[in-house]
Amino acid sequence: MGKKSSFFKKIRISYNAPVTLTFALTAVLIMVLNALLKGTLIPAFFTVPGGAGSSAPFNIHVPLDYLRLVLHIFGHADWNHLVSNLSFILLLGPVIEERYGSPVLALMMLVTSLVTGVLNACFSPLPMLGSSDIAFMMILLTSFTSISKNEIPLSFILILILYVGRELFARPSDQNIATLAHIAGGLCGSMFAFLAMPKAASRKNGTAQKKQDDRNKSSDEGSSRTVKNKPALEEDDSTVVGSIEL
């Protein structure tokens, strides 16, 4: 019994992916607060207005509408919508965060949400909410890491078909989740797969540069020691014999 107790004392829960976990917890908290406020919180702060033809179009004179371009990823239509997106995000987010680092993942999510929000505000007549664009970005970003120059994994193709199919053939009640804007935002955000450098590669390049600098420094110090240790020439080579200087 004592051994079991000491075993459980050694186990601790780590906050291993701060950006991913903070995002998920924030989305859950907003859903809870929205339920307590009788469904008024998410429509007011976490939904992107539509464009022309919308009942409440994007207003360039309202500062809150600009915040909604990014904050919409924290709002969801219902718990099923939230759980569906968090299933992908909590599965893939820690892997991406470990590979690229927390600041880079946060930037990816910010850019993806902004691109998606702008596209919806410009071209969609419907309001939009949800983190489907973030989930789609993570799916593509994770899949791109296994794509080589001459082959594409079948698993990547199947995931792409399943996710895009789910978005395109969503139930009518889910149409406020703007499908095409989500897909376009995910594709734009996934361009980071070609632009961002993984942490391991960054460290490798930094180590190589440090070694090169150390070699250059050692070479300079060696040259300096050679010059310093060279015997100095006698300024006065004259020899005195008696009173005659030769």
Side-chain angles (χ1 to χ4, degrees):
M1 189 69 179
K3 290 183 178 180
K4 289 184 178 180
S5 177
S6 61
F7 172 76
F8 285 111
K9 286 182 179 180
K10 293 179 180 179
I11 297 177
R12 61 187 181 87
I13 299 175
S14 62
Y15 205 71
N16 61 313
V19 171
T20 304
L21 292 173
T22 300
F23 173 83
L25 293 174
T26 302
V28 171
L29 177 61
I30 288 172
M31 280 294 294
V32 173
L33 293 177
N34 185 68
L36 294 176
L37 295 173
K38 300 180 179 180
T40 59
L41 179 64
I42 290 178
F45 296 98
F46 302 98
T47 302
V48 177
S54 174
S55 57
F58 182 87
N59 191 339
I60 61 174
H61 302 293
V62 178
L64 181 59
D65 280 1
Y66 291 96
L67 292 177
R68 290 172 179 169
L69 295 176
V70 175
L71 296 179
H72 70 274
I73 59 176
F74 295 103
H76 291 81
D78 50 43
W79 285 103
N80 288 333
H81 183 207
L82 175 64
V83 171
S84 176
N85 286 330
L86 290 188
S87 299
F88 286 101
I89 292 172
L90 290 175
L91 177 65
L92 302 176
V95 178
I96 297 173
E97 194 163 349
E98 173 65 24
R99 179 176 175 81
Y100 294 97
S102 298
V104 175
L105 176 59
L107 180 61
M108 291 176 181
M109 296 171 72
L110 174 63
V111 171
T112 302
S113 61
L114 181 60
V115 168
T116 307
V118 170
L119 288 173
N120 191 83
C122 291
F123 303 107
S124 175
L126 299 174
M128 182 188 68
L129 72 164
S131 56
S132 297
D133 48 354
I134 301 299
F136 190 51
M137 179 269 289
M138 289 184 174
I139 290 172
L140 293 184
L141 189 60
T142 304
S143 302
F144 282 151
T145 60
S146 59
I147 294 178
S148 66
K149 184 178 295 185
N150 298 320
E151 65 180 26
I152 299 177
L154 179 60
S155 59
F156 164 70
I157 298 175
L158 293 176
I159 290 175
L160 188 62
I161 292 173
L162 289 174
Y163 193 84
V164 174
R166 190 198 73 166
E167 289 288 313
L168 292 176
F169 297 101
R171 297 187 304 274
S173 60
D174 292 333
Q175 288 304 311
N176 62 324
I177 308 164
T179 303
L180 294 179
H182 277 161
I183 294 174
L187 290 172
C188 291
S190 298
M191 290 301 295
F192 278 104
F194 302 100
L195 301 176
M197 178 181 293
K199 289 194 301 182
S202 179
R203 286 196 298 266
K204 183 177 180 180
N205 292 343
T207 303
Q209 183 62 39
K210 186 176 183 300
K211 289 181 178 179
Q212 182 63 35
D213 293 341
D214 290 341
R215 283 196 295 267
N216 294 338
K217 184 177 179 181
S218 300
S219 177
D220 293 341
E221 289 178 351
S223 300
S224 177
R225 284 195 298 269
T226 301
V227 173
K228 184 177 179 180
N229 295 333
K230 187 178 180 179
L233 295 176
E234 295 288 344
E235 291 184 1
D236 187 2
D237 292 335
S238 60
T239 305
V240 179
V241 179
S243 60
I244 304 174
E245 285 190 4
L246 301 177

